[in-house]
């Protein structure tokens, strides 16, 4: 499935999270059968699922360290939010199932909800995945690589859609609720 939004084009590929939208970051209740089915589809098609424990992501430094290790960021990774966006946009095939796509699942996300960096972390994931899922650069020039289906899921034990949506909501994101999920995507009026 393809979608076009002003200057950018994206490919959803292995869509573990939505039914035809551009939501690359999704918040779900823990143990959702539908989510588990979709994760199985990703792995069956050659994609990879990476698991993150929220306890390792409680600080900005923890986010950078954990993502760098799990997703094998290069040694020159700057361990800051901009560098995280850049590295999410440039993952190697070994981490992505040879380009088949990835889903990062953050378990026990309830722990992250009150942290100071959580809204920024979500925005950074939206930025990185939006770029990775695109076939053109920020100036609408074609990229010399195919788009990568890249998604992040936050699993909550105590899933309160309104509480999550309120915490994540910010001007640069569009946050929607429905189908028992909360979705976050870049606001095209701010980003595209």
């Amino acid at each position: 499935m393809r979608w076009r939004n002003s200057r950018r084009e994206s490919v959803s590929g292995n869509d573990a999270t939505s039914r035809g939208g551009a939501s690359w970051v999704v918040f779900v209740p823990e143990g959702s059968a539908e989510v588990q089915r979709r994760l199985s589809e990703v792995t069956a098609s050659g994609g990879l699922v990476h698991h993150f424990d929220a306890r390792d992501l409680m600080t900005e430094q923890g986010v950078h360290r954990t993502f760098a290790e799990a997703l094998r960021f290069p040694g020159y990774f700057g361990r800051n939010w901009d560098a995280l966006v850049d590295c999410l946009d440039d993952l190697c095939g070994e981490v992505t199932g040879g380009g088949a796509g990835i889903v990062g699942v953050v378990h026990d996300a309830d722990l992250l909800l009150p942290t100071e960096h959580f809204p920024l972390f979500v925005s950074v994931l939206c930025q990185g995945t939006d770029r990775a899922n695109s076939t053109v650069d920020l100036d609408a020039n074609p990229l010399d690589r195919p788009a990568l289906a890249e998604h992040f899921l936050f699993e909550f034990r105590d899933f309160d859609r309104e509480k999550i949506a309120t915490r994540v909501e910010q001007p640069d994101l569009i946050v929607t609720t429905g189908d028992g999920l909360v979705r976050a995507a870049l606001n095209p009026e701010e980003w595209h």
Side-chain angles (χ1 to χ4, degrees):
M1 166 183 267
R2 303 190 122 185
W3 62 272
R4 185 174 285 284
N5 190 334
S6 66
R7 300 175 6 194
R8 306 212 356 135
E9 185 176 283
S10 298
V11 179
S12 65
N14 296 320
D15 191 348
T17 59
S18 65
R19 294 190 174 106
S23 298
W24 312 118
V25 180
V26 181
F27 309 87
V28 300
E30 181 181 67
S32 164
E34 176 68 9
V35 170
Q36 294 308 314
R37 182 185 67 75
R38 290 177 184 235
L39 290 174
S40 294
E41 289 174 359
V42 168
T43 57
S45 66
L48 297 176
V49 177
H50 297 273
H51 297 274
F52 299 90
D53 185 330
R55 288 179 290 263
D56 297 329
L57 308 173
M58 297 299 290
T59 65
E60 291 183 25
Q61 297 81 8
V63 169
H64 301 307
R65 180 183 59 255
T66 302
F67 270 64
E69 290 171 5
L71 300 178
R72 301 181 187 171
F73 288 173
Y76 57 82
F77 169 55
R79 297 189 186 278
N80 62 62
W81 295 117
D82 290 334
L84 182 59
V85 170
D86 291 341
C87 285
L88 288 173
D89 180 31
D90 195 26
L91 294 175
C92 65
E94 188 176 294
V95 175
T96 65
I102 74 160
V103 178
V105 181
V106 177
H107 300 281
D108 294 323
D110 307 70
L111 299 172
L112 290 174
L113 199 59
T115 63
E116 185 177 336
H117 68 280
F118 184 67
L120 179 57
F121 180 33
V122 172
S123 177
V124 165
L125 291 178
C126 286
Q127 293 170 53
T129 56
D130 184 74
R131 285 174 42 182
N133 285 291
S134 182
T135 58
V136 296
D137 67 17
L138 296 173
D139 294 320
N141 297 315
L143 293 170
D144 61 356
R145 58 137 176 94
L148 172 66
E150 185 176 298
H151 304 274
F152 285 93
L153 302 177
F154 287 82
E155 284 192 333
F156 287 81
R157 290 178 190 224
D158 179 22
F159 186 75
D160 180 335
R161 282 188 294 182
E162 293 309 313
K163 182 177 178 182
I164 295 165
T166 299
R167 183 70 174 115
V168 171
E169 196 168 21
Q170 50 195 306
D172 70 331
L173 299 180
I174 293 176
V175 179
T176 59
T177 61
D179 296 331
L181 308 172
V182 176
R183 294 177 175 89
L186 293 182
N187 180 344
E189 292 179 13
E190 296 285 328
W191 287 100
H192 294 255

